[in-house]
Amino acid sequence: MNLEDIQAVIDSAKVRDNGKLEDFIRRMSPASSRKEIAEAAAVAVEVVEMVPVVLACAAQAAEQLGLRVVVMPVLDHAVRYFVNPVDLIPEMTQGMAGLLDDTYLAFRILENFNYGSPPLMDVDFSEPLRFLRRLLGTEISDKLDEASLFALQDVSTQVNQAWAEMGHHS
């Protein structure tokens, strides 16, 4: 998991934003005032900037709980989506607005891990996810919810295959 790549994507999106995040928020919430749009944009930037730190904490928690083999492939999936320029909202053309879907997916994946016992992290992702869902709309959010579950299912399949192979070598 290369968190420096995520930070580089965030830095690059900031440089090419030129008001695109506020434009995106205005399109998604046309009744909002300029002040509300500016405030939402500021919060959105803060939430996006949390991603590398939160993923690093999740990796550390997985290590401490002995869940590295299960958690890291899913976190890697979130990182790949984040650094891949082709996704639902491309940051190459949309600036910081293009990282809202990436951030939603990363947080949704982490929220799924918190349903386990014990939870992966003592972090409540519900508020940032609600905020991002309002910005993204239900269509995009629903697709990302499905992608987060697919990432978990994909890893589950990989773990089952690894267990099966280990059983054959015994």
Side-chain angles (χ1 to χ4, degrees):
M1 183 170 71
N2 192 342
L3 300 177
E4 293 83 20
D5 288 347
I6 290 179
Q7 190 59 55
V9 169
I10 293 170
D11 293 342
S12 175
K14 281 182 180 177
V15 168
R16 59 172 52 100
D17 188 74
N18 297 325
K20 292 177 185 164
L21 177 57
E22 287 189 7
D23 291 344
F24 180 85
I25 294 169
R26 191 174 296 107
R27 281 193 310 275
M28 297 305 285
S29 184
S32 296
S33 69
R34 276 192 179 156
K35 182 181 179 195
E36 290 169 329
I37 290 169
E39 289 171 355
V43 171
V45 170
E46 287 179 25
V47 171
V48 169
E49 288 179 332
M50 289 173 26
V51 171
V53 173
V54 172
L55 288 176
C57 290
Q60 184 178 16
E63 191 73 41
Q64 291 170 347
L65 293 170
L67 297 173
R68 185 169 170 58
V69 69
V70 175
V71 173
M72 292 312 293
V74 181
L75 295 183
D76 287 339
H77 180 88
V79 170
R80 280 192 309 275
Y81 187 84
F82 212 98
V83 299
N84 184 355
V86 179
D87 54 23
L88 293 176
I89 306 172
E91 53 274 1
M92 295 298 287
T93 59
Q94 297 301 310
M96 288 299 288
L99 296 179
L100 298 175
D101 61 324
D102 307 61
T103 301
Y104 183 93
L105 180 64
F107 285 178
R108 189 67 173 98
I109 285 171
L110 292 171
E111 182 185 54
N112 288 338
F113 276 125
N114 280 348
Y115 292 136
S117 181
L120 179 64
M121 301 171 67
D122 187 21
V123 176
D124 183 3
F125 293 100
S126 59
E127 189 54 39
L129 284 168
R130 263 194 303 276
F131 171 75
L132 291 168
R133 188 172 190 79
R134 279 194 312 266
L135 293 182
L136 293 168
T138 55
E139 183 179 341
I140 289 175
S141 299
D142 288 349
K143 287 179 184 178
L144 294 167
D145 289 341
E146 289 176 24
S148 74
L149 293 175
F150 174 77
L152 291 173
Q153 291 168 345
D154 188 41
V155 168
S156 175
T157 301
Q158 291 173 20
V159 169
N160 287 337
Q161 288 174 344
W163 278 113
E165 289 174 16
M166 288 171 57
H168 292 295
H169 295 292
S170 301

